[in-house]
Amino acid sequence: MLEIKNLQVSVEGKEILKGLNLTVNKGEVHAIMGPNGAGKSTLASVIAGKQDYEVTGGSILFNGKDILELSPDERAKEGVFLAFQYPIEIPGVSTINFLKTAVNEIRQHKGMGNMEAKEFLAMLKEKQKLVQIDTNLTGRSVNEGFSGGEKKRNEIFQMAMLNPQLAVLDETDSGLDIDALRIVAEGVNKLRNKNNAFLVITHYQRLLEYIIPDFVHVLYNGQIVKSGTKELALELESKGYDWIKKEFSEIPA
Amino acid sequence: MSAVATKKDTSAKWLEQFELTAANRLGAANAAVLEKQQKAIAGFAETGIPDKKVEDYKYTNIRLYLNDEFALKGAATRLRQSDVRHLFFGGHATIVMVNGRFVQELSSLKNLPREVIVKNLFTVLKATDTGAGREFNEQFDEKASPMAMLNTALTQDGISITVPAGYDCKGPLHLLHISSGTDKVLYNPRHVIKVGEGASLTLIETYRSVELTEKTFINSVTEMIVEKDATLNNYILQEEDANVSQNNVHQVSVGTSGKFNSVTVSLDGKMVRNDLNVNINGENSEIHMHGLFVVKDGQHIDNHSLVSHNVPNCFSNELYKGIIADGGTGVFNGKIFVKQDAQKTNAYQSNKNILMGENSTMNTKPQLEIYADDVKCSHGTTTGRIDEEALFYLQTRGLNENVARKVLLGAFATEISDTVKDTAFRVLLEERIQVHIV
Amino acid sequence: MAGSDKILEEITTSEYKYGFTSDIESDTIPAGLSEDVVRFISAKKEEPEFMLEYRLKAYRHWLTMKEPNWAHVKFPAIDYQSISYYSAPKKQKVLNSLDEVDPELLRTFEKLGISLVEQMRLSGVAVDAVLDSVSVKTTFKEKLSELGIIFCSFSEAVRKHPELIKKYMGSVVPPGDNYFAALNSAVFSDGSFCYIPKGVRCPMELSTYFRINSAGTGQFERTLIVADEGAYVSYLEGCTAPMRDENQLHAAVVEIVAHKDAEVKYSTVQNWYPGNKEGKGGIYNFVTKRGICLGDNSKISWTQVETGSAITWKYPSVILKGNYSVGEFYSIAVTNNMQQADTGTKMTHIGKNTKSTIVSKGIAAGKSNNSYRGLVRINKGASKARNYSQCDSLLMGDRCGAHTFPYIEINDKTAIVEHEATTSKIGEDQIFYCNQRGIDTEKAIGLIVNGYCREVLNKLPMEFAVEAQKLLAVSLEGSVG
């Protein structure tokens, strides 16, 4: 589904990703771990198409299509979802109105008509239940005045509503207490199926106790330096990132 | 206010005086300056003494304070150092100006670093090879205020202080402006302060009246040039007596990575009008402007400021606070101007006022004029009475109402005095503020 | 970066979507202004003597006045002698039903989406449609008259209710108040009059649609709303104008009087023709709107959504005379291309415990200039007066300007006045967040701007809010897609 080949990315002239390769298939959950500054969030942003990131080499294919040429909304319509590390507040725009617009835009892209209000509300209720989000949060403006945990939960709720093929979770666990973490993870687990895939970016192994990944990759210094299964996450947890840093420090900065 | 009749324009007198005083004017020292003086008087002839009809003087009618009773010259004063020494403080080098002229005998210059050049402006302009004449008045564009034009036209002298490039002047300089005399006089002192590239200076200006028996109008202009990487801290304490009205223009230009910090505290005088105009001409500059004014019965204090962001990536912050006692009138007018090219500007402005009496008036006009889009600019202003609950709280702790009020007003003022970095001056400020906030 | 800039560029240079002209026979006098013209207008309208006197007094005063130049707007000098001061659709026989209305006019209204038929049948809104100057059709009059509510054209009121007109006209905006108000007082064509008697709550939103139609005709509406003790009325005014090449002057006057315990809510959606991308044509909208809270506990609330006109010069104001009276001003002003807006309010606190709230949202795009100008004045003796003002500006593109010029004059120590203003650029991170959820940039901007203006939109009556939201999106929309 997602095929990243030799991806090189710079920000303001500084090279962050230095030839990254990654393949994600349908039905898989991949975790990307790595120390601060390794390029984890850059990877998430580049997949989603954020400005200010200059792709200097390599490619990202999504279902065989080169998405680097697509605008961020076109990528979203193709089925790419990013759960933001720092979700944005949009004052005055209710979450319901926001999601209705998004759902209908995506439907139109697929050649479907707008969703009936009744059907939309039913879906809203169902997904609220699924991710255990407080119903009055969806009546409020998008993320405005939400706590850190509420914002993260709202990201997962939006994911449930938009039902993407590929969801990239950028440090969704940061700033969450243990209960919120479990709720978020449960939401993801409920949404997992054989047709979609997840790319879970995290600094800690903690989240992976709840979302069991099929593969774990270690991102360090702009490249994936180690890949394995969930045991690799445990190994990282016990040995720490210094272990990786020592082993791969010969890679020129 | 509206009951006060608009006084007639007395500019004719000053146009006439311009011709009569040619020999004494600054232009006598330098032909380039003379030309500028002629241009300025022509500009002033068109505007005249401003009244309420001029937008920038909407709340301060200068004609009420400056009429044709005033002359350009009074009888000579004979002050001795003992008359002014009590106004010195902190052991700082002190430059004494009497009615706008530098008086070396009264000054205390033993702590003045020899790198810092202090001279009469007239003397500086006389040395024709320096280019000083060309630089004079260049900071003003054709939109200079009528009062600044009047000063340019009529000025005879003032002080010139130059800190050479790279010199970090550690001890502050105290510029003591004294009004003194027995005649009704309009003074037009002109000062030029230059802080060279990478240099720094703390300039403390205090305004006092000594042996003054008649009405005086000080129409002063100070040009300040802060070069690249330079820092200027400009602290001002205005405490003239009830005979003195002043229109005080500080025209500041700040170069790349320059820093300009001003603190203006106005506590006394008949009428005080301060124009602080800062032109930010170099990127990555940082400007802080603070002010406090305490207005009492029959007094009028107007703080007018303009920050022009002419280039990108600069920061400016402004906070003025006012305490307006019964019968006093306070004015705040602040403008943030952001040019089209000045992207990434961060500019903030705040004005907070407390009204104390039945007949207190506060007119405030914060303005934003913005032509660049990638900016963060805001202003805010609040005016209200003293916090009654805090007052009550203090009373329940045993303070009588007057003491409690003084404590609260003192706390209100502290936010401004705390921004002064020189300890001796800060202590002086706090003491003077306490005297005036009865 | 480049992609989003391009879209922004396209969006911010979009042209007016409601441009069309309708062709109705007009009865127009030659251009020019003189006492004779004033007399002609008065005679044509079969006015009583007092009205002619009022007009002449205003005209003579106007001659002594100068056009104001303090606003942050620029325009070529107006030649007042080149304007025609009277234009009315040719008198037809009295209409019994809509079928008798000029079909061209009906089609025009339909194009604007405000067809009388629809309005009457669906919304229960009484529509006093003004085409150019003369009221063409007034509806729901009977229903209103049962309650004692008078809602009619200004001309009709002058004839039928001279005592009310004499009492209230010019009591809030005196004939010599300002240059444009004086001009209006001399040559006003027609408009609406509304009187709500004691204790009556007007059961429907009263609305008027104004249009400017004939080429080269100035439009000088006059509106007077009087709410007697304990009365309530919500009044809607909506405007769209056809496309024209010449600049057209619009100098209306709106006066509101609220007696003790009365409340008047006045909502405007203004979408006059703004001129083309180069700034050619467009309406000069120089309007004087003022209300007085005459009695205790009265309330006047102005809500406006201004998206049109080449130049807007407008300060809906409230004089808070009654104790405990309340004044409100909620405003959205959008300027695009070469538009200029200088708008805001004046809140004059005279009574004790009076309260005013100002919320202004300015959105500038293209090469436009958008200024908030406001005055809050607390008179001596207006004890415990309270004002809160919030003025925000949003900039789209780097060639527009957003300005804030508040004047605050406080003469009473018990007053509390707070003013806050911010200016910033539309959030790129917000646009990206919307994009990431599948919403394209153009829609994202519409969504974000509507969110930004929510506080004001919420103050509009329901149907009006929907219309206003569409208008905001359309005003900033481009030829994208």
Side-chain angles (χ1 to χ4, degrees):
Chain A
M1 176 196 288
L2 179 72
E3 226 176 315
I4 301 176
K5 281 188 187 150
N6 192 30
L7 185 65
Q8 294 157 46
V9 176
S10 298
V11 178
E12 289 173 353
K14 195 178 168 231
E15 199 177 20
I16 307 287
L17 296 183
K18 303 166 183 174
L20 183 140
N21 294 295
L22 179 69
T23 301
V24 178
N25 295 309
K26 272 185 186 175
E28 293 177 352
V29 174
H30 289 242
I32 306 255
M33 299 184 71
N36 290 329
K40 300 192 299 288
S41 286
T42 298
L43 177 62
S45 297
V46 170
I47 293 172
K50 195 171 197 301
Q51 295 176 357
D52 308 330
Y53 291 84
E54 196 195 344
V55 177
T56 54
S59 64
I60 304 180
L61 298 183
F62 183 66
N63 293 329
K65 203 186 263 181
D66 180 5
I67 58 167
L68 288 176
E69 295 303 313
L70 300 181
S71 65
D73 58 297
E74 288 166 338
R75 296 182 200 199
K77 285 168 184 157
E78 290 289 330
V80 176
F81 181 90
L82 171 65
F84 283 57
Q85 185 180 1
Y86 303 107
I88 307 299
E89 300 188 2
I90 311 181
V93 178
S94 75
T95 304
I96 290 179
N97 185 18
F98 178 69
L99 279 172
K100 202 168 81 190
T101 311
V103 164
N104 285 333
E105 287 290 300
I106 292 170
R107 283 172 68 99
Q108 274 170 19
H109 180 75
K110 290 179 182 161
M112 298 154 79
N114 282 354
M115 201 177 228
E116 289 286 326
K118 222 170 129 185
E119 197 188 337
F120 178 78
L121 284 175
M123 177 163 93
L124 198 76
K125 267 194 190 142
E126 179 205 328
K127 305 294 183 187
Q128 277 171 342
K129 227 171 172 180
L130 189 75
V131 299
Q132 301 178 40
I133 191 167
D134 197 337
T135 46
N136 63 39
L137 281 188
T138 54
R140 281 163 54 186
S141 296
V142 178
N143 293 323
E144 196 189 23
F146 286 23
S147 71
E150 286 169 341
K151 282 182 182 171
K152 295 297 176 73
R153 231 185 282 178
N154 194 20
E155 293 293 287
I156 301 303
F157 169 60
Q158 291 179 34
M159 180 173 83
M161 289 294 290
L162 301 179
N163 192 25
Q165 264 197 64
L166 172 71
V168 181
L169 275 54
D170 188 7
E171 307 223 5
T172 299
D173 52 334
S174 68
L176 289 188
D177 64 31
I178 197 75
D179 293 328
L181 187 73
R182 208 179 50 237
I183 291 167
V184 165
E186 276 172 15
V188 172
N189 287 331
K190 283 175 194 159
L191 294 168
R192 262 173 102 155
N193 63 43
K194 62 181 194 311
N195 289 317
N196 62 17
F198 290 82
L199 195 58
V200 180
I201 292 172
T202 180
H203 188 76
Y204 301 105
Q205 184 266 343
R206 199 174 63 150
L207 178 65
L208 304 180
E209 285 175 18
Y210 299 96
I211 305 174
I212 313 291
D214 299 304
F215 300 96
V216 174
H217 311 276
V218 179
L219 181 58
Y220 177 62
N221 204 8
Q223 290 184 330
I224 288 179
V225 294
K226 236 180 186 10
S227 293
T229 52
K230 63 183 184 204
E231 284 72 26
L232 178 58
L234 291 169
E235 199 177 350
L236 271 175
E237 184 77 3
S238 60
K239 293 187 180 174
Y241 285 115
D242 283 347
W243 162 58
I244 296 291
K245 285 182 190 169
K246 259 182 222 143
E247 196 170 335
F248 296 96
S249 59
E250 69 273 14
I251 294 173
Chain B
M1 270 318 286
S2 56
V4 182
T6 303
K7 290 275 174 70
K8 74 175 180 19
D9 185 13
T10 59
S11 51
K13 165 152 189 170
W14 310 115
L15 298 177
E16 185 190 305
Q17 286 294 312
F18 178 78
E19 300 303 332
L20 296 175
T21 58
N24 299 321
R25 288 202 323 266
L26 205 52
N30 188 304
V33 172
L34 182 63
E35 208 183 304
K36 288 172 191 178
Q37 290 195 301
Q38 273 153 351
K39 228 171 145 181
I41 199 75
F44 173 77
E46 281 176 30
T47 57
I49 304 280
D51 66 358
K52 291 192 290 185
K53 281 181 234 147
V54 180
E55 180 64 25
D56 277 337
Y57 294 83
K58 186 176 166 68
Y59 298 117
T60 301
N61 184 356
I62 299 291
R63 292 184 193 176
L64 295 179
Y65 304 97
L66 178 58
N67 53 35
D68 50 14
E69 298 172 309
F70 291 89
L72 282 185
K73 199 173 182 316
T77 54
R78 295 189 206 290
L79 295 177
R80 281 168 302 190
Q81 216 185 34
S82 58
D83 298 323
V84 299
R85 196 174 290 140
H86 67 287
L87 302 172
F88 296 5
F89 68 94
H92 299 333
T94 304
I95 300 158
V96 176
M97 310 289 297
V98 177
N99 298 333
R101 285 180 193 270
F102 174 36
V103 184
Q104 193 147 6
E105 314 81 271
L106 297 179
S107 303
S108 163
L109 301 175
K110 61 179 188 297
N111 288 334
L112 181 73
R114 55 188 168 76
E115 286 82 357
V116 178
I117 305 154
V118 175
K119 281 183 177 162
N120 278 318
L121 186 60
F122 194 91
T123 314
V124 172
L125 290 173
K126 225 169 157 181
T128 45
D129 54 329
T130 59
R134 279 197 307 278
E135 286 171 20
F136 175 79
N137 204 46
E138 282 306 293
Q139 286 201 58
F140 289 97
D141 55 19
E142 65 281 3
K143 285 179 290 182
S145 74
M147 298 308 285
M149 286 194 285
L150 183 65
N151 172 286
T152 301
L154 296 178
T155 188
Q156 302 187 342
D157 206 352
I159 198 79
S160 161
I161 301 173
T162 305
V163 183
Y167 183 71
D168 176 15
C169 183
K170 292 234 161 55
L173 251 60
H174 178 198
L175 187 57
L176 171 57
H177 303 275
I178 287 173
S179 301
S180 180
T182 52
D183 299 293
K184 289 187 182 120
V185 186
L186 161 68
Y187 295 106
N188 292 283
R190 181 78 170 215
H191 314 300
V192 177
I193 315 294
K194 257 166 123 172
V195 187
E197 191 173 323
S200 69
L201 173 69
T202 295
L203 180 72
I204 302 170
E205 299 183 66
T206 62
Y207 289 82
R208 293 293 287 256
S209 313
V210 176
E211 294 186 13
L212 181 80
T213 59
E214 277 296 342
K215 278 196 218 165
T216 298
F217 194 105
I218 306 167
N219 179 35
S220 135
V221 171
T222 306
E223 289 185 74
M224 298 184 142
I225 298 145
V226 183
E227 304 265 25
K228 182 166 178 267
D229 295 318
T231 299
L232 174 60
N233 299 316
N234 183 211
Y235 303 143
I236 299 171
L237 172 59
Q238 293 164 320
E239 242 187 316
E240 299 270 11
D241 75 18
N243 273 323
V244 180
S245 295
Q246 62 170 310
N247 189 97
N248 196 332
V249 178
H250 276 66
Q251 186 77 19
V252 187
S253 146
V254 182
T256 305
S257 300
K259 286 193 173 67
F260 175 73
N261 304 308
S262 79
V263 180
T264 306
V265 177
S266 315
L267 300 175
D268 217 342
K270 173 77 182 159
M271 186 283 287
V272 179
R273 158 74 178 229
N274 293 314
D275 282 27
L276 175 54
N277 304 324
V278 181
N279 265 299
I280 306 179
N281 297 324
E283 291 195 37
N284 300 311
S285 308
E286 196 178 325
I287 314 297
H288 294 270
M289 299 152 73
H290 288 88
L292 173 76
F293 49 100
V294 179
V295 203
K296 292 183 290 292
D297 195 14
Q299 296 181 340
H300 182 107
I301 299 181
D302 177 356
N303 278 293
H304 220 85
S305 68
L306 168 65
V307 185
S308 293
H309 283 263
N310 301 324
V311 293
N313 296 309
C314 293
F315 173 92
S316 71
N317 185 36
E318 179 176 18
L319 170 63
Y320 270 71
K321 295 181 119 179
I323 297 169
I324 300 95
D326 204 14
T329 300
V331 180
F332 172 80
N333 185 319
K335 186 186 249 186
I336 297 172
F337 184 89
V338 180
K339 269 203 181 159
Q340 196 176 329
D341 302 331
Q343 297 292 358
K344 307 272 179 204
T345 288
N346 281 335
Y348 306 98
Q349 182 193 71
S350 176
N351 168 233
K352 296 175 182 171
N353 311 300
I354 293 181
L355 300 183
M356 300 297 297
E358 295 304 324
N359 293 299
S360 303
T361 295
M362 180 68 209
N363 297 316
T364 177
K365 198 178 144 200
Q367 302 168 76
L368 302 173
E369 195 170 335
I370 294 166
Y371 296 92
D373 66 332
D374 194 2
V375 299
K376 284 194 189 109
C377 299
S378 70
H379 68 215
T381 171
T382 56
T383 300
R385 53 189 180 275
I386 198 161
D387 185 343
E388 305 278 351
E389 278 180 39
L391 202 60
F392 175 70
Y393 181 82
L394 291 182
Q395 285 174 270
T396 65
R397 294 297 176 267
L399 279 67
N400 79 36
E401 198 185 328
N402 280 337
V403 174
R405 189 171 287 128
K406 216 165 167 172
V407 166
L408 289 176
L409 293 177
F412 180 75
T414 302
E415 197 180 353
I416 301 303
S417 55
D418 274 356
T419 62
V420 169
K421 289 179 193 112
D422 178 56
T423 312
F425 183 61
R426 193 171 58 239
V427 169
L428 174 71
L429 262 189
E430 283 163 0
E431 183 194 306
R432 300 311 301 163
I433 290 167
Q434 281 302 315
V435 169
H436 286 279
I437 58 173
V438 187
Chain C
M1 196 74 199
S4 150
D5 271 4
K6 192 169 163 271
I7 293 170
L8 227 124
E9 160 96 23
E10 281 167 9
I11 288 170
T12 56
T13 54
S14 82
E15 293 217 46
Y16 186 67
K17 288 206 167 169
Y18 293 144
F20 51 83
T21 59
S22 56
D23 195 11
I24 299 172
E25 280 181 274
S26 285
D27 178 4
T28 306
I29 57 164
L33 184 53
S34 63
E35 275 205 22
D36 287 344
V37 169
V38 174
R39 286 177 196 281
F40 171 84
I41 294 168
S42 190
K44 193 91 185 162
K45 301 177 83 62
E46 296 160 23
E47 287 178 349
E49 186 63 22
F50 84 89
M51 204 65 254
L52 175 63
E53 283 309 312
Y54 186 96
R55 286 178 182 273
L56 287 172
K57 217 173 123 190
Y59 172 70
R60 287 170 195 142
H61 190 77
W62 178 76
L63 288 175
T64 68
M65 298 174 88
K66 269 196 193 135
E67 206 177 80
N69 62 0
W70 40 261
H72 195 90
V73 295
K74 285 189 196 119
F75 55 91
I78 297 169
D79 179 1
Y80 291 91
Q81 293 305 332
S82 73
I83 295 168
S84 168
Y85 289 87
Y86 185 79
S87 156
K90 272 191 179 160
K91 246 187 194 164
Q92 297 186 339
K93 60 180 195 276
V94 177
L95 303 174
N96 298 315
S97 77
L98 283 174
D99 302 340
E100 292 172 43
V101 174
D102 185 337
E104 176 75 13
L105 173 59
L106 288 180
R107 270 196 295 278
T108 303
F109 279 125
E110 266 159 38
K111 272 192 250 180
L112 293 169
I114 51 163
S115 102
L116 282 169
V117 190
E118 284 302 301
Q119 291 287 345
M120 286 168 66
R121 203 170 49 204
L122 297 176
S123 55
V125 170
V127 176
D128 180 14
V130 173
L131 182 78
D132 273 30
S133 310
V134 169
S135 174
V136 177
K137 178 80 189 169
T138 305
T139 51
F140 286 93
K141 212 182 244 179
E142 284 159 35
K143 193 168 177 190
L144 294 173
S145 67
E146 280 169 27
L147 290 162
I149 294 172
I150 303 167
F151 180 42
C152 62
S153 74
F154 205 89
S155 317
E156 190 182 329
V158 168
R159 290 190 304 269
K160 293 191 180 162
H161 308 282
E163 70 298 340
L164 287 173
I165 296 292
K166 261 190 212 163
K167 184 171 175 191
Y168 292 110
M169 184 187 188
S171 71
V172 192
V173 180
D177 186 77
N178 67 67
Y179 190 79
F180 301 115
L183 181 63
N184 175 288
S185 299
V187 302
F188 70 91
S189 34
D190 208 335
S192 300
F193 173 73
C194 173
Y195 174 81
I196 316 288
K198 258 184 204 178
V200 172
R201 223 186 134 78
C202 181
M204 59 183 82
E205 316 268 3
L206 295 181
S207 81
T208 308
Y209 287 88
F210 293 110
R211 310 239 356 259
I212 295 177
N213 202 289
S214 295
T217 338
Q219 181 89 354
F220 304 96
E221 256 82 39
R222 187 97 200 177
T223 302
L224 174 59
I225 300 171
V226 179
D228 217 325
E229 280 186 33
Y232 167 86
V233 63
S234 167
Y235 192 91
L236 315 184
E237 171 206 349
C239 320
T240 47
M243 201 171 252
R244 288 288 173 191
D245 276 331
E246 293 162 62
N247 287 307
Q248 290 186 303
L249 176 65
H250 179 79
V253 169
V254 177
E255 294 179 280
I256 298 176
V257 178
H259 284 280
K260 187 167 176 286
D261 300 323
E263 179 177 350
V264 178
K265 218 171 128 61
Y266 193 103
S267 312
T268 307
V269 171
Q270 185 269 119
N271 186 27
W272 302 106
Y273 176 52
N276 70 4
K277 273 188 208 177
E278 283 73 43
K280 194 171 183 311
I283 304 297
Y284 291 178
N285 190 22
F286 300 152
V287 178
T288 306
K289 290 184 167 178
R290 193 179 302 148
I292 183 163
C293 285
L294 209 53
D296 292 356
N297 299 308
S298 53
K299 179 177 176 182
I300 293 175
S301 183
W302 297 101
T303 306
Q304 61 173 24
V305 178
E306 303 280 322
T307 62
S309 295
I311 301 173
T312 299
W313 181 100
K314 182 178 174 188
Y315 315 90
S317 305
V318 184
I319 299 166
L320 296 142
K321 192 158 179 288
N323 297 331
Y324 294 94
S325 59
V326 175
E328 292 178 340
F329 175 73
Y330 292 92
S331 170
I332 298 168
V334 179
T335 52
N336 200 348
N337 297 317
M338 301 296 284
Q339 279 177 278
Q340 306 174 69
D342 194 295
T343 183
T345 183
K346 282 198 245 178
M347 293 290 176
T348 307
H349 293 254
I350 299 168
K352 296 186 198 318
N353 294 292
T354 46
K355 204 175 134 191
S356 63
T357 304
I358 298 170
V359 177
S360 161
K361 305 279 178 181
I363 297 140
K367 292 179 182 171
S368 68
N369 268 295
N370 197 323
S371 306
Y372 168 82
R373 184 182 306 276
L375 169 68
V376 173
R377 185 177 166 84
I378 313 287
N379 277 12
K380 194 167 153 45
S383 57
K384 302 211 170 152
R386 184 92 174 76
N387 163 267
Y388 174 75
S389 306
Q390 172 77 45
C391 305
D392 296 322
S393 303
L394 197 62
L395 289 149
M396 296 171 68
D398 58 5
R399 283 166 305 164
C400 49
H403 320 300
T404 316
F405 305 114
Y407 294 66
I408 300 161
E409 304 176 1
I410 303 157
N411 297 292
D412 193 286
K413 73 158 180 171
T414 58
I416 300 177
V417 176
E418 287 173 88
H419 169 97
E420 282 174 51
T422 63
T423 302
S424 57
K425 166 187 188 175
I426 188 159
E428 271 169 17
D429 52 351
Q430 292 175 335
I431 295 175
F432 176 66
Y433 192 74
C434 293
N435 287 161
Q436 214 301 306
R437 300 300 184 248
I439 301 166
D440 67 35
T441 299
E442 185 175 306
K443 284 211 175 64
I445 288 171
L447 205 61
I448 294 163
V449 167
N450 269 305
Y452 183 78
C453 299
R454 176 67 41 208
E455 210 181 334
V456 177
L457 291 170
N458 281 347
K459 294 286 165 185
L460 289 171
M462 192 59 143
E463 322 95 83
F464 232 37
V466 174
E467 194 180 314
Q469 274 186 41
K470 280 187 196 145
L471 194 57
L472 284 187
V474 167
S475 305
L476 295 166
E477 197 175 272
S479 44
V480 184

